[in-house]
Amino acid sequence: MRLTAIRGTRDLLPEELVRWRAVEETAREVFGRYGYREIRTPLFEATELFVRGVGAGTDIVEKEMYTFEDRGGRSLTLRPEGTAAVVRACLEHNLFAELPVLKLYYIGPMYRYERPQAGRYREFWQAGVEAFGSDDPALDAEVILCAYDFLTGLGLRSLTIHLNSLGDEERQTYVQALREYLAPHWDRLPARDRERFEKNPLRMLDSKEEITRALIQEAPQVLDFLSEKSRHHLETVCRLLEREGVPYRVNPHIVRGLDYYTHTVFEVTAEGLGAQDAVLAGGRYDHLVEEVGGRPTPGVGFAAGVDRLLLALEAQGVAPEPGPELDLYIAVIGEVRAEALALATRLRRAGYRVDLEFLGRSLRAQMKTAHKRNVPLVALLGEDELREQRATLRDMRSGEQRSVSLEELIPAVAQMLSHSNPN
RNA sequence: GUGAGUGUAGCUCAGGCCGGUAGAGCGGCUUGACUGUGGAUCAAGUGGUCGUGGGUUCGAGUCCCAUCACUCACCCCA
């Protein structure tokens, strides 16, 4: 049988990578403006890191991890998300001691064993930021601001920022209240939501079951259970976002699937994506560092799904013009390949992107290739030209053509390129 | 993990009910009309283990079973 990319993974071909790189560049640029520095961690880690970091009871850990044993009998897992590994690296290299507020970003593939569907892959890319060391709500606001600048910087429109707070210690009180409210309705609950009721009642808040949704309408709200301090934290975040002109909606039904969140949680959805419309999500995680084995260190961050961002950009018709991949194509006629290669080398070392003919095809075929590749300039090198140590330069846009001595070729190329490309 | 739909040329798809020599449109490449010049036009050439494996049959793209993949939704999440 023919070998193919395995389920849920895919190849990114040269054409698509133009857009991928644009997204990555925007991420680096915007994150850099907010003071984040890049970190890269391994694609796999000790399984235990994710069990402790993400949470033993979460779906991610229970049924979605790529876990395997290496030849030394260690249990390893392909990272299902980025935050836990970043925390591990910071602890290992004592980065928290270096700066009182430590800001790091990452871009890379993550792995989850899920059924693939629109906007969901088993190997998918995330770009995320983590800010450690401060529990100031201004940092939460700044992280959301950074996310907002990133998304709008990509050209995305029709975004909704959902904001909520899960509080901290009071979360347990709320969960209990939610259970007490729902318990009398047990008989009416769909099987799925009964499971949630037992395992993770917060999940019922974003249930898609009609009956549950109706019940949730009347249910006690997280926001009413927040402590004075937590409420103040949320209010400050809101006030700062308003002041900076970031549109958001407080949505008490936003819950996250990872256990480590406290206080602020947020999710950004984009239009045109189908069922998987969350394009970026994050929040505060004040206990995660401790959970992974460090001293108590607050943190806040987000992760954006690069694959989904690209789908959303496509759905919203935001397509950057690709621009030519080559500056010049050398068309070769007759036995002049050594000279053609030498010419290409000279031009390349002068900084131009150059390709040339290797198949000995007709000039017509070569011109077609140059045209198809959208090359602005073609240098014609044949035995006639070579005798006089000259080449013919053709501007593919205007059709204008002139003979240039090989010595003056580079300045002539520079001049013709600047002409045909007036920006 | 659950459910539904779909796999035939590079792309979009017909053929399938009712088994009998694999097709169309678009695109790619090569050559020519046009001796060393792209875009437009025309002509010729070039392309498929019908997802894979098995079964039924004299004969399977077509019927049956299995399997893999894709799509969408659930679930979950970025």
Side-chain angles (χ1 to χ4, degrees):
Chain A
M1 205 185 107
R2 201 164 141 205
L3 290 172
T4 57
I6 65 166
R7 183 158 209 210
T9 72
R10 69 233 133 89
D11 302 306
L12 301 174
L13 305 178
E15 211 167 304
E16 317 167 59
L17 280 168
V18 173
R19 317 184 71 187
W20 272 75
R21 254 181 278 122
V23 170
E24 286 171 36
E25 274 157 30
T26 303
R28 290 175 202 286
E29 204 265 318
V30 174
F31 299 165
R33 284 204 307 243
Y34 278 84
Y36 291 88
R37 293 175 299 153
E38 186 176 7
I39 186 168
R40 297 192 193 185
T41 63
L43 295 192
F44 53 90
E45 299 271 353
T47 301
E48 194 196 346
L49 173 64
F50 301 117
V51 174
R52 278 163 59 180
V54 177
T58 59
D59 278 20
I60 293 178
V61 168
E62 274 187 358
K63 41 193 192 195
E64 295 177 2
M65 295 206 302
Y66 278 94
T67 297
F68 59 96
E69 219 175 69
D70 74 2
R71 288 169 187 275
R74 290 168 278 256
S75 178
L76 305 180
T77 293
L78 296 183
R79 63 184 186 192
E81 59 101 48
T83 306
V86 170
V87 169
R88 193 227 83 227
C90 290
L91 290 171
E92 187 165 338
H93 303 285
N94 211 17
L95 299 186
F96 294 132
E98 256 178 34
L99 281 173
V101 172
L102 181 68
K103 288 175 159 182
L104 298 168
Y105 77 84
Y106 59 85
I107 300 177
M110 308 293 162
Y111 301 84
R112 288 182 204 169
Y113 192 87
E114 297 180 273
R115 187 86 163 246
Q117 93 185 51
R120 194 167 76 183
Y121 308 97
R122 288 181 173 178
E123 178 185 66
F124 62 100
W125 283 62
Q126 286 192 334
V129 309
E130 317 289 352
F132 300 98
S134 168
D135 58 9
D136 188 336
L139 189 56
D140 303 43
E142 195 207 50
V143 163
I144 296 171
L145 202 51
C146 176
Y148 181 69
D149 280 1
F150 171 47
L151 297 175
T152 53
L154 291 173
L156 276 181
R157 320 185 62 237
S158 313
L159 297 168
T160 311
I161 301 178
H162 304 268
L163 182 66
N164 191 20
S165 173
L166 300 176
D168 198 346
E169 277 85 30
E170 62 269 39
R171 191 149 139 196
Q172 282 322 305
T173 324
Y174 174 64
V175 167
Q176 201 185 326
L178 192 61
R179 274 211 172 102
E180 277 164 21
Y181 163 80
L182 288 167
H185 304 285
W186 174 266
D187 292 343
R188 292 167 58 204
L189 290 179
R192 238 175 225 138
D193 282 315
R194 289 185 180 173
E195 266 174 54
R196 291 188 174 113
F197 182 94
E198 314 253 278
K199 226 177 94 186
N200 187 359
L202 285 181
R203 272 272 151 225
M204 300 181 73
L205 294 177
D206 61 358
S207 173
K208 287 181 187 170
E209 303 285 350
E210 196 127 339
I211 302 161
T212 312
R213 288 173 76 114
L215 285 171
I216 290 300
Q217 288 290 314
E218 309 294 320
Q221 300 267 306
V222 220
L223 299 177
D224 297 328
F225 281 74
L226 293 183
S227 68
E228 191 59 36
K229 195 180 151 233
S230 297
R231 192 195 324 267
H232 182 254
H233 189 100
L234 176 63
E235 277 162 9
T236 308
V237 173
C238 291
R239 191 163 43 80
L240 290 170
L241 288 178
E242 273 152 34
R243 204 185 141 122
E244 298 308 317
V246 177
Y248 70 91
R249 275 171 38 194
V250 171
N251 179 347
H253 297 164
I254 290 294
V255 194
R256 311 266 63 243
L258 294 82
D259 275 355
Y260 51 59
Y261 288 109
T262 51
H263 295 290
T264 309
V265 291
F266 59 95
E267 188 171 304
V268 183
T269 54
E271 270 177 29
L273 278 188
Q276 314 296 321
D277 63 350
V279 105
L280 180 151
R284 179 164 277 286
Y285 43 84
D286 287 344
H287 306 306
L288 175 63
V289 175
E290 260 177 288
E291 204 59 55
V292 175
R295 299 169 61 82
T297 307
V300 54
F302 68 73
V306 177
D307 318 70
R308 283 185 195 177
L309 288 174
L310 283 154
L311 286 174
L313 287 168
E314 205 170 329
Q316 297 185 11
V318 188
E321 269 306 305
E325 81 221 25
L326 282 182
D327 297 310
L328 182 139
Y329 191 85
I330 302 177
V332 176
I333 310 133
E335 287 304 312
V336 295
R337 53 167 73 79
E339 291 79 2
L341 187 58
L343 200 59
T345 304
R346 264 176 64 206
L347 286 161
R348 286 165 175 161
R349 290 187 178 155
Y352 295 103
R353 297 168 300 175
V354 175
D355 209 348
L356 64 153
E357 171 73 4
F358 289 103
L359 294 174
R361 292 132 81 216
S362 69
L363 180 57
R364 179 184 154 80
Q366 298 186 51
M367 293 302 285
K368 270 184 137 161
T369 298
H371 178 255
K372 191 185 158 213
R373 293 179 70 177
N374 201 17
V375 187
L377 206 55
V378 168
L380 263 158
L381 193 64
E383 281 151 353
D384 298 351
E385 280 86 356
L386 208 58
R387 244 192 311 280
E388 301 171 19
Q389 288 294 294
R390 300 179 80 79
T392 304
L393 283 181
R394 181 181 178 87
D395 183 317
M396 293 295 277
R397 245 172 284 261
S398 64
E400 196 185 316
Q401 200 161 290
R402 63 167 136 147
S403 171
V404 177
S405 82
L406 289 184
E407 258 166 44
E408 290 161 11
L409 187 76
I410 287 179
V413 165
Q415 198 229 332
M416 287 183 80
L417 280 176
S418 70
H419 253 265
S420 77
N421 200 6
N423 37 310

